[in-house]
Amino acid sequence: MRRSAFLASLKRRGALTGAVCLCLFQSIACSGGTESAAGAQGYVFDLPAGFPAPQVPADNPMNADKVELGRRLFYERGLSTGGNISCATCHQQRMAFSDGLTGGVGSTGEVNRRNSMSLTNTAYQATLTWANHHLRTFEEQATIPLFGEFPVELGLDDVSFPNALAGLEADETYAALFRDAFPKSENPVTKENLLKAIGAFQRTLISGNSAFDRGELSASALRGSQLFFSERLECFHCHGGFNFSSSLDHEGNLLDEISFHNNGLYNVGGTGDYPASDQGLIEVSGNDADMGKFKAPTLRNIELTAPYMHDGSIATLEEVVDHYAAGGRTIDPPDPNAGDGSANPHKDVLISGFIISAQEKQDLINFLKSLTDWEFVCNPMLSDPFGHIPPHASCTP
Amino acid sequence: MKSLGILGLLAALLVSMGTISCSDDNLVAPYSGYAVQFVGLVSDDPFACGTYNNIGTGNDEFFVDDFRFFVYDVQLRRADNDALVALDLSETPWQHDGLALIDFETGVSGGCNGTIATNTLAFGTAPEVEYDGVCFTMGVPFEMNHIDAGTAPAPLNSVGMQWNWNGGYKFLRIDGQGDPNGSPVNWNVHLGSTSCTPTGDPSTPAISCDNPNRVQVCLDSYDPDQNVIAADIGDLLSGADVGVNTAATAAGCMSAPDDPECPAVFDELGLDHQVGPFTDTDGQGFFSVQ
């Protein structure tokens, strides 16, 4: 019999003695002690008036060197399998840290099924990414774009990542920044510290200095704000609070606001389904009630983050307002996703549609545009230190 | 005798690592080093990254480029009284807290996934008696499965086994392609827990999963000094058609509860799958004693 013959030959060759090899294991994390300081001790966030401090994990206290290191790593193309993209490729400051594409493009050219989210104020989001209730911290979330394979984003793996780390260690600037950022680490250039540094930088992407925040609304935007906060339009239920999102967490917060909503974007075949390619939270939770549920992102800087929705399937703010006015989107045959989204049985009860005049619609959009924070979009502290990604044309050097 | 070679090597290693622990509890037998060895096969042939013939129901060519899995709760069955005895796994980069990563793939040359280093053993100490059976679980224990993957210790720091978008790890990873020379179809098996719900308290990793998908295995006629445990991809895929993948579902079976490619694979693992029907009532057919 072939099987036993194979085993016999193995035994003859002595292969079954299986030498135990403890060397050569990839990326053994040698963390040199923990940083014991609590939270943001000794670091002062530049907070807009009325903003709480973000949550900072106790094991990743903020410091200026760590933020600067994280900034460089965020823009570092060496952290991609092709050396061609960085975190910032899909999260560009000039578009409030989004990319203007329907779906982000990874290092190997693979197109993500989901729209690259704006990183505006993600420090205040209770959960990260579009529809995953497991992802609570930047440090954990970053492992997905770095190492995820379905789809490939940055595309690093058990072989290329240690090589990338070695490259950082050999670079004097990086080596010094890692040392300064993690003074208690004996060997500071580790995966853990890299994730922590990128997380620290992301916690500084705070935006709260828009015309709305300064109370400088035009007459039209003021009328739009009244519409936005009205029970007639109901926008503020999902996009509420200082961050205009129903997903909220911050320092001292006792009860995280973790919520996901189905907004009637699809109703494939009239059964309530979303397209099989992306069905939202149900894919992670397995709960039928989570069909088509996604996180309501912040509306801050929304003017700069088109296209909209989890799949980038709505191009303009005007069309977004039309979508909510209709209480959902109708897609006509022969489109394979045909169906009346407003009749989706999983749709959030507060999305019931409204009648809105052309003037009101303009007012509402002017209000949304009043949430653009040019100080944030043009802040040199958040910009590309390597000069690959240009600033917004409106930013004056 | 070959087994003395491995035992001697292990004993020396264990002593040098200072992990030999001779407890004075009810076990009268002194402890000794034992290694449970796994061997990766594809339809009885030794696994190597490359193309194999006659795989699955369509008798397809199948290109395989990754093959790894986690095991834990390894127990040996005493020949004298049928009691199951825990194999106390040593702490190494491949083994942590009773969990071992078995890794057959050899890495990145020629379109092959993974790492150069391999590991075929789960080794540690157990009372020095005769054994005639073995039990283990393929997977990552619940209490380890939902920790922060960014800071996890080896072997849980293997990013190739990370499955964070589903709140855990891949328990088994086989990557491949049906009909690689004709009309290639990416066909992978990624096993892991699905439909997991967090508690809402960020300070606890506690999560409950509707579909744990851990594979409990017990095998007879197994003597750690004489036998190995084969894991055969050909057997695992015997009921699957690796030349076909349902549109808009994961490439192959990545454990999604609604993926039509999964029941055939789950059957061979002795697991139920909600697309069903569950037909393989004689347990798993993936592992066997050789």
Side-chain angles (χ1 to χ4, degrees), chain B residues 98-125:
Chain B
L99 174 78
L101 174 60
I102 305 299
D103 177 343
F104 300 120
E105 46 72 15
T106 53
V108 288
S109 56
C112 301
N113 208 34
T115 54
I116 294 168
T118 60
N119 179 50
T120 61
L121 302 177
F123 73 89
T125 55

Side-chain angles (χ1 to χ4, degrees), chain B residues 266-277:
Chain B
F266 274 48
D267 269 8
E268 288 300 322
L269 294 170
L271 295 172
D272 204 352
H273 186 272
Q274 71 184 49
V275 172

Side-chain angles (χ1 to χ4, degrees), chain B residues 68-130:
Chain B
R68 309 175 236 186
F69 53 84
F70 286 106
V71 295
Y72 72 98
D73 205 10
V74 182
Q75 300 173 299
L76 298 170
R77 193 179 66 206
R78 291 178 66 136
D80 54 1
N81 63 5
D82 283 352
L84 287 172
V85 179
L87 181 66
D88 185 13
L89 296 192
S90 310
E91 288 290 310
T92 79
W94 295 101
Q95 301 186 166
H96 176 64
D97 246 354
L99 174 78
L101 174 60
I102 305 299
D103 177 343
F104 300 120
E105 46 72 15
T106 53
V108 288
S109 56
C112 301
N113 208 34
T115 54
I116 294 168
T118 60
N119 179 50
T120 61
L121 302 177
F123 73 89
T125 55
E128 193 171 357
V129 297
E130 288 296 309

Side-chain angles (χ1 to χ4, degrees), chain A residues 70-86:
Chain A
R71 174 187 167 206
R72 294 181 82 89
L73 294 169
F74 183 85
Y75 286 98
E76 177 55 66
R77 293 180 173 186
L79 290 177
S80 64
T81 184
N84 53 343
I85 66 167
S86 65

Side-chain angles (χ1 to χ4, degrees), chain A residues 142-155:
Chain A
T143 62
I144 293 178
L146 278 166
F147 308 122
E149 296 164 285
F150 303 91
V152 170
E153 297 182 58
L154 292 160

Side-chain angles (χ1 to χ4, degrees), chain B:
Chain B
M1 188 174 158
K2 287 272 187 285
S3 58
L4 286 180
I6 195 165
L7 288 180
L9 178 64
L10 281 169
L13 184 77
L14 292 169
V15 170
S16 72
M17 290 166 54
T19 56
I20 232 162
S21 59
C22 303
S23 66
D24 54 357
D25 53 18
N26 303 331
L27 294 156
V28 287
Y31 271 56
S32 180
Y34 287 94
V36 172
Q37 177 158 17
F38 292 86
V39 57
L41 304 177
V42 185
S43 300
D44 302 344
D45 291 328
F47 163 82
C49 173
T51 301
Y52 295 81
N53 296 319
N54 301 321
I55 302 296
T57 57
N59 294 321
D60 284 280
E61 284 191 322
F62 189 58
F63 172 76
V64 202
D65 67 307
D66 201 333
F67 190 7
R68 309 175 236 186
F69 53 84
F70 286 106
V71 295
Y72 72 98
D73 205 10
V74 182
Q75 300 173 299
L76 298 170
R77 193 179 66 206
R78 291 178 66 136
D80 54 1
N81 63 5
D82 283 352
L84 287 172
V85 179
L87 181 66
D88 185 13
L89 296 192
S90 310
E91 288 290 310
T92 79
W94 295 101
Q95 301 186 166
H96 176 64
D97 246 354
L99 174 78
L101 174 60
I102 305 299
D103 177 343
F104 300 120
E105 46 72 15
T106 53
V108 288
S109 56
C112 301
N113 208 34
T115 54
I116 294 168
T118 60
N119 179 50
T120 61
L121 302 177
F123 73 89
T125 55
E128 193 171 357
V129 297
E130 288 296 309
Y131 293 107
D132 67 358
V134 63
C135 292
F136 60 90
T137 303
M138 179 168 70
V140 175
F142 176 81
E143 57 275 13
M144 282 185 186
N145 195 36
H146 303 285
I147 58 175
D148 181 345
T151 58
L156 289 169
N157 65 346
S158 161
V159 303
M161 297 301 276
Q162 207 175 271
W163 209 25
N164 230 337
W165 44 101
N166 265 320
Y169 285 85
K170 301 181 187 91
F171 300 160
L172 165 70
R173 175 173 189 165
I174 295 166
D175 285 16
Q177 200 174 58
D179 196 19
N181 303 313
S183 42
V185 179
N186 289 336
W187 224 100
N188 313 294
V189 176
H190 294 176
L191 181 73
S193 296
T194 62
S195 303
C196 302
T197 310
T199 59
D201 176 359
S203 65
T204 70
I207 286 177
S208 67
C209 299
D210 295 345
N211 309 307
N213 294 339
R214 292 178 178 86
V215 180
Q216 292 184 321
V217 181
C218 280
L219 300 167
D220 295 330
S221 311
Y222 174 84
D223 174 353
D225 291 345
Q226 301 292 334
N227 303 109
V228 298
I229 300 170
D232 193 318
I233 292 175
D235 291 342
L236 181 70
L237 298 178
S238 58
D241 186 343
V242 297
V244 176
N245 185 61
T246 307
T249 66
C253 166
M254 297 191 189
S255 300
D258 58 351
D259 190 334
E261 273 67 57
C262 282
V265 176
F266 274 48
D267 269 8
E268 288 300 322
L269 294 170
L271 295 172
D272 204 352
H273 186 272
Q274 71 184 49
V275 172
F278 188 56
T279 54
D280 193 347
T281 50
D282 55 355
Q284 65 84 31
F286 181 42
F287 294 102
S288 61
V289 172
Q290 308 275 312

